[in-house]
Amino acid sequence: MDPIIEQMKKNVSVRDFKDEPLTDEVKKELLQAAQSGSSSNFVQAFSIIEISDGKLRDTIADITNSAPYVKKTGAFYVFVADLYRQAQMLKRRGLSLDGIKSMEQLLVATVDTTIAAENMATAAESLGLGICYIGGIRNDIRQIAELLHLPKYTFPLYGLTVGIPNGKNQVKPRMPLSNQVATDHYDVEQLTNIGDYDQKVREYYLSRNSNAQDSTWTDKNVDFFKEIRRPDVGPFLKDQGFSLS
Ligand SMILES: Cc1cc2nc3c(=O)[nH]c(=O)nc-3n(C[C@H](O)[C@H](O)[C@H](O)COP(=O)(O)O)c2cc1C
């Protein structure tokens, strides 16, 4: 099996790192890997902010509910979906910014940013490092934007903590391909029949070394989606200049 694919299939989030900063050389490699992903229409609609100031890192960490592995890690980056550069270009030419503000371009920036982050994650794992995405920065997206001085037409999507792992969790079982891959059309029966997978996830949660629990995948999802999470994200995006339409 190809070693890159092998590594991808072993991907796990790491939540316990050594207190050892990454070297500048490693960080440069990771950042260049992030930059090298595909980009919709080559707009490169993201910026990456490394949080190096200890006090700032602590403040951000406390917002995330993931503080231990944001504070103690090799490096912590905030991935910012970013159309501010394009807004400036249009402004300089006296053009309307409507083309920046649309929902479509918000999706474009989100996708570009995510491709960059996952490139960094894969690169980090190839160097034996561990990673964890930190969507918890959106627990207070407005404060994060203020702390990082984010201009309009940008938004902080998530953090990525990268470091030398103290240990790794067991790989979480993914859905069988039959639940996630269809041919020619969306096959409702095939893609939503997740009874077997629910049991597999339940066994995984019951048997894992830390934080064992009796939960199926359905239980987890119902818990996650039963109420509106982070309702301030939409209004914040509007304030950042996006029309959401
Ligand atoms: C966009 C995104 C945001 C995430 N945010 C957090 C977070 O704030 N804190 C955390 O501990 N894990 C976070 N995770 C990690 C997920 O919980 C994890 O990927 C998922 O449970 C699957 O586990 P695995 O990565 O070990 O396979 C995030 C993952 C993604 C993709």
Side-chain angles (χ1 to χ4, degrees):
M1 179 56 76
D2 176 82
I4 298 177
I5 298 176
E6 271 303 289
Q7 174 203 304
M8 286 171 150
K9 292 202 289 193
K10 281 195 208 133
N11 163 63
V12 287
S13 295
V14 171
R15 297 187 175 85
D16 184 14
F17 296 102
K18 293 198 191 308
D19 200 3
E20 209 174 296
L22 303 185
T23 64
D24 288 344
E25 200 187 355
V26 165
K27 287 195 286 193
K28 194 170 172 196
E29 287 288 292
L30 296 181
L31 290 164
Q32 287 179 337
Q35 280 189 303
S36 302
S38 298
S39 165
S40 176
N41 277 288
F42 197 38
V43 294
Q44 306 180 76
F46 62 89
S47 294
I48 302 170
I49 301 186
E50 183 186 355
I51 310 301
S52 66
D53 179 90
K55 249 180 150 177
L56 178 62
R57 169 107 68 94
D58 286 353
T59 308
I60 293 175
D62 291 336
I63 290 171
T64 65
N65 277 343
S66 304
Y69 40 103
V70 173
K71 290 184 183 178
K72 198 176 116 201
T73 185
F76 182 68
Y77 299 101
V78 175
F79 279 77
V80 177
D82 185 357
L83 289 164
Y84 182 63
R85 282 180 282 266
Q86 282 80 4
Q88 282 186 317
M89 294 172 201
L90 289 166
K91 248 191 216 160
R92 272 190 227 115
R93 296 198 178 179
L95 296 168
S96 156
L97 299 189
D98 286 354
I100 296 278
K101 299 175 183 178
S102 72
M103 191 68 208
E104 162 66 7
Q105 300 308 356
L106 189 143
L107 287 181
V108 161
T110 304
V111 170
D112 263 22
T113 309
T114 298
I115 289 169
E118 189 58 16
N119 257 22
M120 180 185 281
T122 305
E125 288 180 337
S126 81
L127 298 175
L129 301 169
I131 61 100
C132 188
Y133 283 86
I134 305 293
I137 63 163
R138 299 197 307 278
N139 290 340
D140 193 341
I141 195 167
R142 219 172 268 282
Q143 200 194 339
I144 297 285
E146 276 168 21
L147 287 167
L148 304 185
H149 308 169
L150 296 190
K152 283 185 93 163
Y153 313 111
T154 69
F155 52 98
L157 203 49
Y158 36 69
L160 193 70
T161 180
V162 187
I164 302 169
N166 269 330
K168 283 200 172 179
N169 294 325
Q170 289 145 270
V171 172
K172 273 187 187 163
R174 269 29 184 196
M175 277 185 254
L177 285 178
S178 60
N179 283 147
Q180 247 178 341
V181 183
T183 306
D184 294 335
H185 64 275
Y186 192 100
D187 184 329
V188 172
E189 171 58 25
Q190 179 199 322
L191 295 176
T192 62
N193 182 7
I194 51 150
D196 287 351
Y197 182 58
D198 258 345
Q199 285 319 309
K200 201 170 174 192
V201 171
R202 181 165 178 256
E203 281 157 28
Y204 159 79
Y205 278 127
L206 282 171
S207 70
R208 75 177 180 180
N209 302 335
S210 66
N211 198 16
Q213 51 191 284
D214 188 356
S215 305
T216 63
W217 193 61
T218 295
D219 293 332
K220 287 284 188 189
N221 278 271
V222 168
D223 200 40
F224 188 72
F225 288 110
K226 70 184 179 209
E227 57 200 31
I228 298 170
R229 287 167 56 88
R230 299 175 181 146
D232 52 328
V233 168
F236 166 78
L237 290 174
K238 279 205 158 172
D239 291 346
Q240 287 300 93
F242 294 99
S243 66
L244 305 191
S245 61

